[in-house]
Amino acid sequence: MKKRYISLILAAALSASALAGCGGSGTETPAEKETAGKETAGQASAQDTAVDGELSGEITFWHSFTQGPRLETIQKAADKFMSENPDVKINIETFSWNDFYTKWTTGLASGNVPDMSTALPAQVAEMINVDALAPINDLIDDIGRDKFAEAAIAEGTMDGNNYSVPLYRHAHVMWIRKDLLEKNGLEVPGTWDELYETAKALTKDGVYGLSFPCGTNDFQATFFLDFYVRSGGGSLLTDDLKADLTSDLAIDGINYWVKVYNDCSPKDSINFDVLDQATLYYQGKTAFDFNSGFQISGVAANSPDLLQYVDCYPVPKINTGDGTQGIMTTNTPMVIWKASKHPEICKAFMETLYDEDTYVEFLHATPVGMLPAIKGIADTDAYRDDDTIKQFTHAEEVLTAAADIGTAFGYEHGPNVQAGIMQNNHVIEEMFQDIITNGTDVKTAAKAAEDKLNALFETAE
């Protein structure tokens, strides 16, 4: 089945590449073919496998920290590591999250995968399923297993082996413009119906109330539908991991977002990816958005005069009295690829990224956007000594509370490859485009998309 599944994700990646273009930066460095078994790659520590106690070798690190400050802090950490280990060379290549999926899935066929990389949680499950990763139990133990949230480690765990370690975390919440609400005498919405009515009222004077993105080269529409469904205690996956787009709650969510698109959103958003979507909020052209704490740095870079009016609140509920549900938390992980000839270098370098000075500097590259993945850091004077963190105390509290109770996309049922397939194949985005562009009946389109996803899921079983 694994060969069939590799063919599936390869086909999906080629499709995404055709839609999104090559993207990314850096020169491809062919990774070494797999020469070591899982035991060698995953269980030998850096100290045990270094020759004469010294690390020696060249590794390639793929990451998706494309923004300047984050990219620079990672490069600085690599430069420091190489200066302390002169026989080590770390080649860094950066790709957007969407382009990264194309890179690693197509790279499986050619052997062109890195030694280590960042990933998205749902992608880790796919990587484990095709036996592409080395276990890193010893690395987590060396850093301190009790420093990490158990749920964050569990996202990359299978059959007792840990395959990923979280570098930072964030959660998706509702971002608002306080000035627009105050100017129009409106309250922060607490339910989806209140959000729609408020967004509709604010769609004027060159501002859209709420943009709905459903471009097929990204997974934003999948996330937005998931927010609605999970807020009602539901899921886009059944307990036995089948797609569930035809439940009453899912149909309500689809209708909701089509209504938002028609009444509150720019028509170009039918093709928006995450950057298109976020940029509208950065530039002050939308009153509401759903995203992580990265919204703060985006507004600061694009419209600093609006920064004082930016804040966030929990994702709306279906009804006012409903209980609080966990929505989407992302524990952004790092992984070591099984094909690496130098897992000991990868582990040693990864461990240094959690040194307090290095770690705090990295988190401060996008303050409030990247929440600490290890316990205790958020309470240190070094971490709290940042102007953005001081200014956005409320936002940090909302984000932290959301992160504490949420899961990765689709992981409300535990780690599974179906979540990755749903996220990365853009079937839900195609469904929304069919409804909006062709006028296809919502239930008909939802059933077709559900059937398509379930057919894809069968390939991974």
Side-chain angles (χ1 to χ4, degrees):
M1 287 296 181
K2 286 182 178 178
K3 288 184 178 180
R4 289 179 62 203
Y5 184 58
I6 291 172
S7 298
L8 166 66
I9 60 176
L10 180 59
L14 292 172
S15 175
S17 177
L19 286 166
C22 295
S25 62
T27 303
E28 289 189 358
T29 304
E32 298 290 344
K33 294 286 186 180
E34 179 180 332
T35 58
K38 185 177 294 185
E39 292 78 10
T40 300
Q43 297 175 2
S45 68
Q47 293 77 12
D48 291 339
T49 57
V51 178
D52 298 327
E54 300 292 332
L55 294 171
S56 177
E58 182 172 346
I59 66 169
T60 296
F61 176 21
W62 288 359
H63 71 68
S64 295
F65 307 139
T66 55
Q67 299 95 333
R70 294 202 297 172
L71 187 152
E72 291 162 7
T73 55
I74 289 293
Q75 185 63 60
K76 180 179 177 181
D79 291 342
K80 181 175 183 290
F81 186 84
M82 288 187 287
S83 70
E84 295 171 350
N85 299 274
D87 293 328
V88 169
K89 183 176 181 181
I90 302 175
N91 300 305
I92 295 179
E93 301 179 29
T94 59
F95 306 95
S96 71
W97 291 111
N98 202 49
D99 288 339
F100 170 70
Y101 186 77
T102 303
K103 285 290 295 185
W104 80 259
T105 49
T106 57
L108 283 176
S110 63
N112 181 25
V113 294
D115 294 87
M116 59 178 283
S117 73
T118 56
L120 292 176
Q123 293 175 358
V124 173
E126 294 186 82
M127 294 168 180
I128 295 172
N129 195 56
V130 295
D131 198 25
L133 300 182
I136 53 173
N137 304 48
D138 56 334
L139 170 64
I140 294 172
D141 289 334
D142 287 345
I143 297 170
R145 186 172 294 270
D146 60 348
K147 292 182 179 179
F148 298 98
E150 185 176 342
I153 297 298
E155 288 180 357
T157 298
M158 184 172 292
D159 297 330
N161 280 320
N162 311 128
Y163 292 93
S164 66
V165 59
L167 183 57
Y168 68 90
R169 64 179 187 153
H170 63 71
H172 278 68
V173 294
M174 179 179 69
W175 291 87
I176 71 166
R177 281 277 302 280
K178 295 184 290 186
D179 56 325
L180 294 178
L181 292 174
E182 292 170 4
K183 179 182 177 181
N184 289 273
L186 298 169
E187 300 292 328
V188 175
T191 68
W192 290 105
D193 286 344
E194 290 172 357
L195 173 59
Y196 167 76
E197 294 297 339
T198 306
K200 186 176 180 181
L202 294 177
T203 302
K204 60 183 180 179
D205 303 328
V207 173
Y208 295 97
L210 173 59
S211 174
F212 174 60
C214 46
T216 54
N217 65 338
D218 213 330
F219 30 74
Q220 291 302 291
T222 299
F223 284 177
F224 275 48
L225 180 58
D226 187 60
F227 300 155
Y228 187 98
V229 171
R230 290 184 69 176
S231 75
S235 174
L236 295 178
L237 291 168
T238 62
D239 290 341
D240 58 351
L241 300 178
K242 303 296 183 184
D244 189 8
L245 303 183
T246 55
S247 69
D248 290 344
L249 187 55
I251 294 297
D252 287 347
I254 296 168
N255 279 313
Y256 181 86
W257 287 118
V258 172
K259 182 171 65 172
V260 167
Y261 174 82
N262 288 330
D263 297 342
C264 311
S265 179
K267 297 305 170 253
D268 288 348
S269 69
I270 195 170
N271 292 312
F272 275 10
D273 61 18
V274 62
L275 182 58
D276 297 323
Q277 174 76 5
T279 298
L280 280 185
Y281 187 82
Y282 297 166
Q283 295 177 346
K285 296 178 181 178
T286 47
F288 296 97
D289 194 16
F290 291 91
N291 211 317
S292 68
F294 282 82
Q295 297 290 74
I296 294 171
S297 60
V299 173
N302 287 267
S303 307
D305 56 316
L306 296 179
L307 201 59
Q308 60 186 312
Y309 305 121
V310 168
D311 203 353
C312 68
Y313 287 81
V315 168
K317 301 176 180 180
I318 303 292
N319 303 297
T320 302
D322 291 346
T324 300
Q325 301 289 335
I327 312 295
M328 195 173 79
T329 295
T330 301
N331 295 291
T332 302
M334 297 183 292
V335 299
I336 295 176
W337 290 75
K338 188 176 179 181
S340 175
K341 275 191 171 183
H342 299 289
E344 73 283 357
I345 296 176
C346 300
K347 292 177 186 178
F349 175 54
M350 283 182 176
E351 189 168 352
T352 66
L353 296 178
Y354 295 94
D355 293 343
E356 184 172 321
D357 290 346
T358 299
Y359 193 50
V360 169
E361 183 177 1
F362 174 69
L363 296 174
H364 281 177
T366 315
V368 186
M370 296 191 296
L371 302 174
I374 56 177
K375 300 172 185 176
I377 291 293
D379 298 323
T380 63
D381 291 339
Y383 174 79
R384 303 227 64 86
D385 188 20
D386 176 88
D387 290 341
T388 300
I389 291 174
K390 293 175 182 177
Q391 180 180 355
F392 288 92
T393 300
H394 175 260
E396 186 190 28
E397 291 173 351
V398 171
L399 287 158
T400 300
D404 285 345
I405 63 173
T407 69
F409 171 78
Y411 277 30
E412 57 269 28
H413 304 279
N416 64 87
V417 297
Q418 287 82 356
I421 295 171
M422 180 177 285
Q423 177 178 324
N424 291 301
N425 280 271
H426 314 302
V427 173
I428 292 175
E429 284 71 24
E430 293 171 354
M431 175 194 72
F432 274 109
Q433 289 199 357
D434 183 32
I435 294 167
I436 292 169
T437 302
N438 301 323
T440 301
D441 174 72
V442 167
K443 291 184 177 180
T444 301
K447 184 62 167 64
E450 181 179 278
D451 290 345
K452 183 174 183 179
L453 283 168
N454 284 326
L456 293 172
F457 292 171
E458 289 179 4
T459 311
E461 292 177 353

